[in-house]
Amino acid sequence: MGRGKLRIYLGAAPGVGKTYAMLSEAHRRVERGTDCVVAFVEHHGRPRTKVMLHGLETVPRRVIGYRDTAFTEMDVDAVIDRDPAVALVDELAHTNVPGSRNAKRWQDVEELLAAGIDVISTVNIQHLESLGDVVESITGVRQRETVPDEIVRRADQIELVDMSPQALRRRMAHGNIYTPDRIDASLSNYFRPGNLTALRELALLWTADRVDEYLQQYRGEHNIRSTWQARERIVVGLTGGPEGGTLIRRAARLAEKGAGGEVLAVYVARSDGLTAASPKELAVQRTLVEDLGGSFHHVIGDDIPSALLEFARGVNATQIVLGSSRRKSWQYVLGPGVGQTVARESGPDLDVHIVTHDEAAKGRGLPVARGARLGRPRIIWGWLVGVVGPALLTLLLTHVDADLGLANDMLLFLSFTVASALLGGLLPSLASAAFGSLLLNYYFAPPLHQFTVSDPRNIVAISVFFGVAMSVASVVDLAARRTHQAARLRAESEILSFLAGSVLRGETSLDALLERVRETFSMESVALLERASDVDPWMCVAGVGPGQAARPEDADVDMPVGDRLALALCGRVLPAEDRRVLGAFAAQAAVVLDRRRLVGEAEEARKLAEGNQIRTSLLAAVSHDLRTPLAGIKAAVSSLRSDDVEWSDDDRAELLEGIESGADRLDLLVGNLLDMSRLRTGTVTPLIRAVDLDEVVPLALGGVPDGSAELDIPETLPMVQVDKGLLERAVANIVENAVKYSPDPVVVAASTLGDRVELRVVDRGPGVPDESKEGIFEPFQRYGDAPRGAGVGLGLAVARGFVEAMGGTITAEDTPGGGLTMVLTLRVAPGHAPAASAALPAQVTS
């Protein structure tokens, strides 16, 4: 029995018609004779969706009891026993009621697929796990029910159900999505045009990426190498030279001309030593291309044109942007150049743009050396010029009736020897000198066609030629070696300078440093390993690239930094001269690691300093705010104990009331101080359970004068997931703070918003400027001209700490018409779905 196939209808927002489309597809399949059943479909009271269920077989749901309430979920066993060809399962991201076999509905779907049943399901873009933070930043609603992206990506078919924001809002206004009492709130909150447009863009882009994955998979399975120009992908070939910025900006402008254009910058490094580009230039160009929305890639290849074309075809690129060659005219004798080769071999499916720049034809400058190695192409050319050149010259001189004389013939042969030394180094030039001497002796020194010389002067001439040829070849080769050594030292100095600059700039990214090591030495992976002692196992502190070494001895190259730290590189064995630069990288990695740990220790020290500051502030508070009520209590008690005055009953009651008021103030101050101490030390452990707000909020208002607060807590509110005691303390602090500043009664109201409940404390006081709204939640902060006796400034700080400890949030907003509104956002308890209200649910489904 094979695995079933999964088809998903993906929507940008609730109400676009995913469930309707799924049911329409089911009707089409039933008409064709397919055995199709409804495993779980929720119509949410929408009449048109409800009608679509008619004529479809429905598998009975399973009833699950939870907290004295009955819930229904999909009966997985019943569906598997029914064994249909296709099962309809709505709301793939749904969280099952506790007591179900699986926590998530997508896990139920996995069981159906494993049983060989095809599944058609639905999901909204906001329920994808990777997009949770993005959706929250757009809509302000955090999606609690999510499905892993990989589950959706593995679907055999994904169909986007799309609708314009205007059409969706019209559908909402006509009552096709929610009941009339929820329409206004929905249109003004979640279903705003901007929210819907952004969600629609997310859905389109995500689907486009998935289609691109399908296309890449299809091309790979069918071994298609030609480019299919489904979208513009522009590859920029970088050399690490100063022209890179010009090429990247030009490619970005080309990409902007077409919708969905993409820029991929690629640097091809040879595999035989240090990279041929300045690390500083490459870092700058990497930052530039990422700032312009593109991506940077580093590949290894000895044949640069072939590697560049292979990369472009591998990513299905449509255009390649290259810069005009920086080589001078005479340097083209070494080959046609990368640009011409790529243009010639690109074929009809790749457009190649050669972009002019200020550095064109100015020369490449000194190449970054790789020891004394000149590279295979130059050595081959050296041998060709040194051996084939004299042979062709001999053929030419012997067939042309021109007696130039032995001296001129030697000069011509000497020119080939010098040229071979310039191109290929010492060995080709020595071979050229020896071969040229033999040719001169055999063809041009009497007696001809014999390896003997009759004239002693010719013997001297040929000997001098051979000696001069060897001397010139040695000098030229030595100069080339010195040039390469100087270039290598320049490359090393650039790298070391860049490392020193990163130390001064305080860069602390280990991954960025290791990535630079990998690019510099053209390695596959780099790992920084550490161990606590000589006998402890190695641990990977940081690493980049695939196949990282777990131990230094497993790597191709290891660079120890002391006894307990080592840099491990995999990919190839480095020559000895490269290890000096690698040692500098390893030392820098150790410095970055130490700095990162010092930053952590500094953070701990900062927390200790904050604790000291709190203790200092506490002493300041004790010196005044705690002594003031104590002084009042002491004065009242002394008065009551005095024998000199005969107090009336009213006077005694007033004095006792003052004592009680002072004691209450002391209790509140000491309680807040203890609460803040618990928050700072992390010893607050909430006892979370389901609680009704109408049980907690009235108790929190016990400390404010009668008539100073008005309650608006609907009985239909769902229960919230909180610690009852912490919530009571938080609300009490907020309300008491609001009462201090509000001339009118404070309003405490609650409402639902999806899987959240919002509790609003509204005052009509002077308000707080936007720049100070966060500052009022800091400990020992009192806004404006609050009197010294008004408290120590801990109430709001304690309230925020308690609310966040329970998984909620607290923010300050302006009250329309003046004043400040504190908004507490609390989670709805599981199994207590909010009743229909004027607010839009956060976990909207369709």
Side-chain angles (χ1 to χ4, degrees):
M1 178 180 61
R3 180 179 172 85
K5 294 184 178 181
L6 175 62
R7 178 172 182 171
I8 292 179
Y9 286 93
L10 176 68
V16 295
K18 303 180 304 301
T19 304
Y20 191 93
M22 178 179 68
L23 294 174
S24 298
E25 174 65 18
H27 279 286
R28 286 192 293 271
R29 297 199 181 197
V30 169
E31 291 174 359
R32 295 196 300 266
T34 304
D35 183 13
C36 184
V37 301
V38 176
F40 189 99
V41 171
E42 190 66 63
H43 57 73
H44 295 289
R46 298 166 188 169
R48 298 191 178 186
T49 305
K50 189 174 182 180
V51 169
M52 294 297 294
L53 287 169
H54 295 165
L56 297 176
E57 178 186 349
T58 301
V59 178
R61 301 182 184 181
R62 180 186 176 193
V63 180
I64 301 175
Y66 180 69
R67 292 189 175 179
D68 301 328
T69 306
F71 299 90
T72 60
E73 293 288 359
M74 180 175 64
D75 193 336
V76 179
D77 292 329
V79 177
I80 294 177
D81 292 340
R82 172 61 178 76
D83 193 25
V86 180
L88 308 183
V89 182
D90 204 5
E91 301 175 8
L92 186 63
H94 172 75
T95 300
N96 293 330
V97 175
S100 303
R101 181 161 61 188
N102 296 312
K104 292 287 189 176
R105 184 164 293 161
W106 64 262
Q107 296 171 322
D108 297 337
V109 169
E110 286 292 309
E111 289 195 31
L112 298 182
L113 294 173
I117 301 173
D118 293 346
V119 176
I120 304 178
S121 188
T122 64
V123 71
N124 281 331
I125 192 68
Q126 68 263 25
H127 294 298
L128 294 180
E129 197 168 75
S130 66
L131 300 178
D133 55 343
V134 179
V135 174
E136 183 179 12
S137 67
I138 294 171
T139 64
V141 176
R142 180 66 180 180
Q143 300 298 325
R144 303 298 179 185
E145 292 187 333
T146 59
V147 57
D149 289 44
E150 184 60 27
I151 300 300
V152 183
R153 286 184 180 275
R154 287 206 308 261
D156 299 277
Q157 297 181 55
I158 298 177
E159 183 171 335
L160 179 65
V161 183
D162 190 27
M163 179 176 288
S164 69
Q166 294 77 13
L168 183 56
R169 284 173 59 85
R170 282 196 303 270
R171 178 180 287 186
M172 171 74 71
H174 293 161
N176 295 331
I177 301 177
Y178 294 120
T179 54
D181 60 334
R182 300 168 63 186
I183 292 176
D184 291 339
S186 300
L187 291 175
S188 60
N189 288 281
Y190 194 93
F191 285 81
R192 292 194 297 268
N195 287 0
L196 296 178
T197 302
L199 291 173
R200 187 187 189 196
E201 183 181 19
L202 276 178
L204 291 170
L205 291 175
W206 194 93
T207 307
D209 288 340
R210 185 67 185 99
V211 171
D212 188 55
E213 290 178 11
Y214 277 132
L215 180 60
Q216 295 292 348
Q217 181 181 352
Y218 180 85
R219 284 165 50 86
E221 291 174 352
H222 293 78
N223 196 27
I224 298 174
R225 305 301 299 164
S226 61
T227 299
W228 288 2
Q229 300 186 7
R231 61 186 292 193
E232 290 293 340
R233 277 194 179 88
I234 303 173
V235 170
V236 185
L238 300 179
T239 64
E243 77 281 359
T246 302
L247 303 185
I248 293 171
R249 294 185 181 92
R250 177 59 174 161
R253 291 195 295 270
L254 289 173
E256 290 174 357
K257 293 180 180 180
E262 184 180 359
V263 176
L264 301 93
V266 58
Y267 171 72
V268 181
R270 297 186 184 274
S271 61
D272 56 351
L274 288 176
T275 180
S278 166
K280 181 179 180 181
E281 288 287 348
L282 280 180
V284 171
Q285 291 167 18
R286 177 196 290 269
T287 302
L288 176 61
V289 71
E290 291 175 351
D291 289 344
L292 293 176
S295 57
F296 183 90
H297 303 268
H298 180 272
V299 299
I300 300 172
D302 292 324
D303 189 342
I304 294 178
S306 297
L308 187 60
L309 288 170
E310 186 71 19
F311 175 83
R313 293 192 176 103
V315 298
N316 199 26
T318 57
Q319 302 180 54
I320 297 179
V321 175
L322 300 173
S324 297
S325 178
R326 288 183 284 139
R327 296 194 297 179
K328 295 184 180 295
S329 301
W330 64 268
Q331 292 177 311
Y332 281 97
V333 300
L334 303 177
V338 174
Q340 294 183 21
T341 304
V342 170
R344 183 180 66 249
E345 299 178 0
S346 61
D349 53 348
L350 269 174
D351 297 334
V352 179
H353 301 265
I354 304 297
V355 179
T356 59
H357 50 84
D358 295 337
E359 302 298 323
K362 290 186 177 179
R364 288 183 173 180
L366 293 175
V368 176
R370 298 172 178 86
R373 298 182 294 275
L374 300 175
R376 182 177 298 176
R378 288 190 60 173
I379 294 176
I380 293 175
W381 274 104
W383 281 99
L384 289 175
V385 171
V387 177
V388 179
L392 294 177
L393 178 61
T394 300
L395 184 64
L396 176 64
L397 294 177
T398 54
H399 287 78
V400 174
D401 188 14
D403 187 8
L404 300 179
L406 185 60
N408 291 326
D409 294 337
M410 289 181 178
L411 291 176
L412 292 175
F413 277 90
L414 184 61
S415 64
F416 282 99
T417 302
V418 173
S420 65
L422 289 172
L423 291 173
L426 183 61
L427 290 179
S429 61
L430 292 178
S432 177
F435 188 48
S437 300
L438 293 176
L439 292 177
L440 284 171
N441 183 8
Y442 191 80
Y443 288 100
F444 303 102
L448 301 179
H449 307 299
Q450 295 182 18
F451 288 105
T452 58
V453 180
S454 59
D455 190 345
R457 290 177 298 178
N458 292 340
I459 296 177
V460 174
I462 293 175
S463 301
V464 170
F465 164 78
F466 185 75
V468 170
M470 287 194 301
S471 301
V472 171
S474 300
V475 171
V476 171
D477 180 72
L478 181 60
R481 289 174 181 272
R482 293 291 183 263
T483 300
H484 282 285
Q485 290 173 2
R488 179 179 184 82
L489 291 175
R490 186 193 67 175
E492 292 182 2
S493 65
E494 284 185 358
I495 294 172
L496 297 175
S497 174
F498 187 78
L499 288 176
S502 65
V503 174
L504 296 177
R505 290 189 298 270
E507 294 181 358
T508 57
S509 175
L510 264 179
D511 290 341
L513 179 64
L514 298 184
E515 181 65 28
R516 192 169 296 126
V517 174
R518 189 173 75 93
E519 293 178 359
T520 300
F521 296 99
S522 303
M523 305 299 287
E524 294 179 0
S525 66
V526 180
L528 183 63
L529 306 177
E530 186 182 29
R531 59 182 177 180
S533 66
D534 294 341
V535 296
D536 288 328
W538 291 95
M539 301 294 293
C540 182
V541 180
V544 295
Q548 299 170 14
R551 301 178 304 170
E553 50 267 29
D554 297 336
D556 293 317
V557 180
D558 69 284
M559 176 57 67
V561 186
D563 296 331
R564 301 179 182 179
L565 201 65
L567 202 60
L569 292 76
C570 294
R572 62 186 179 86
V573 178
L574 285 181
E577 58 266 25
D578 285 351
R579 294 185 65 88
R580 179 172 54 183
V581 179
L582 181 60
F585 272 112
Q588 173 69 359
V591 171
V592 172
L593 180 61
D594 290 341
R595 181 182 292 123
R596 189 171 70 177
R597 289 172 176 169
L598 288 174
V599 169
E601 294 176 1
E603 179 64 20
E604 294 295 327
R606 184 188 63 79
K607 293 179 180 179
L608 292 175
E610 288 183 356
N612 290 331
Q613 182 181 3
I614 290 177
R615 285 190 287 271
T616 302
S617 301
L618 174 62
L619 292 175
V622 170
S623 66
H624 187 280
D625 295 290
L626 295 181
R627 294 180 62 184
T628 299
L630 281 175
I633 293 173
K634 180 175 177 57
V637 171
S638 298
S639 298
L640 288 174
R641 292 176 56 115
S642 175
D643 297 331
D644 300 335
V645 181
E646 185 68 28
W647 302 103
S648 66
D649 292 341
D650 293 338
D651 292 336
R652 288 178 178 275
E654 183 177 353
L655 290 173
L656 290 174
E657 183 180 356
I659 293 173
E660 184 178 15
S661 175
D664 289 340
R665 284 186 59 191
L666 280 177
D667 181 66
L668 178 62
L669 292 173
V670 172
N672 280 337
L673 289 171
L674 292 176
D675 290 339
M676 179 53 60
S677 175
R678 292 168 59 202
L679 288 170
R680 288 293 180 177
T681 56
T683 57
V684 175
T685 305
L687 180 61
I688 303 296
R689 60 187 182 89
V691 176
D692 282 321
L693 280 181
D694 54 7
E695 296 179 4
V696 179
V697 177
L699 297 176
L701 304 184
V704 298
D706 293 338
S708 60
E710 298 177 358
L711 277 179
D712 182 14
I713 309 294
E715 294 181 357
T716 57
L717 281 178
M719 301 180 77
V720 292
Q721 192 82 346
V722 296
D723 183 304
K724 183 177 179 180
L726 295 184
L727 180 61
E728 180 182 341
R729 294 294 301 273
V731 174
N733 281 341
I734 294 172
V735 173
E736 290 172 6
N737 183 78
V739 168
K740 293 177 186 176
Y741 296 98
S742 181
D744 298 328
V746 172
V747 178
V748 183
S751 61
T752 59
L753 185 62
D755 62 346
R756 302 177 302 169
V757 171
E758 286 190 351
L759 182 66
R760 293 176 172 266
V761 180
V762 184
D763 69 57
R764 294 291 178 180
V768 176
D770 291 340
E771 61 272 13
S772 302
K773 281 187 172 62
E774 282 300 312
I776 61 177
F777 293 103
E778 295 295 326
F780 304 105
Q781 300 295 319
R782 291 181 293 186
Y783 177 68
D785 55 353
R788 288 288 297 176
V792 294
L794 283 177
L796 294 181
V798 170
R800 168 170 277 190
F802 283 170
V803 172
E804 291 181 348
M806 295 182 291
T809 60
I810 177 171
T811 56
E813 300 177 356
D814 291 329
T815 302
L820 190 68
T821 298
M822 292 291 179
V823 183
L824 280 76
T825 303
L826 307 171
R827 296 176 298 174
V828 172
H832 295 271
S837 65
L840 172 72
Q843 289 303 324
V844 281
T845 53
S846 64

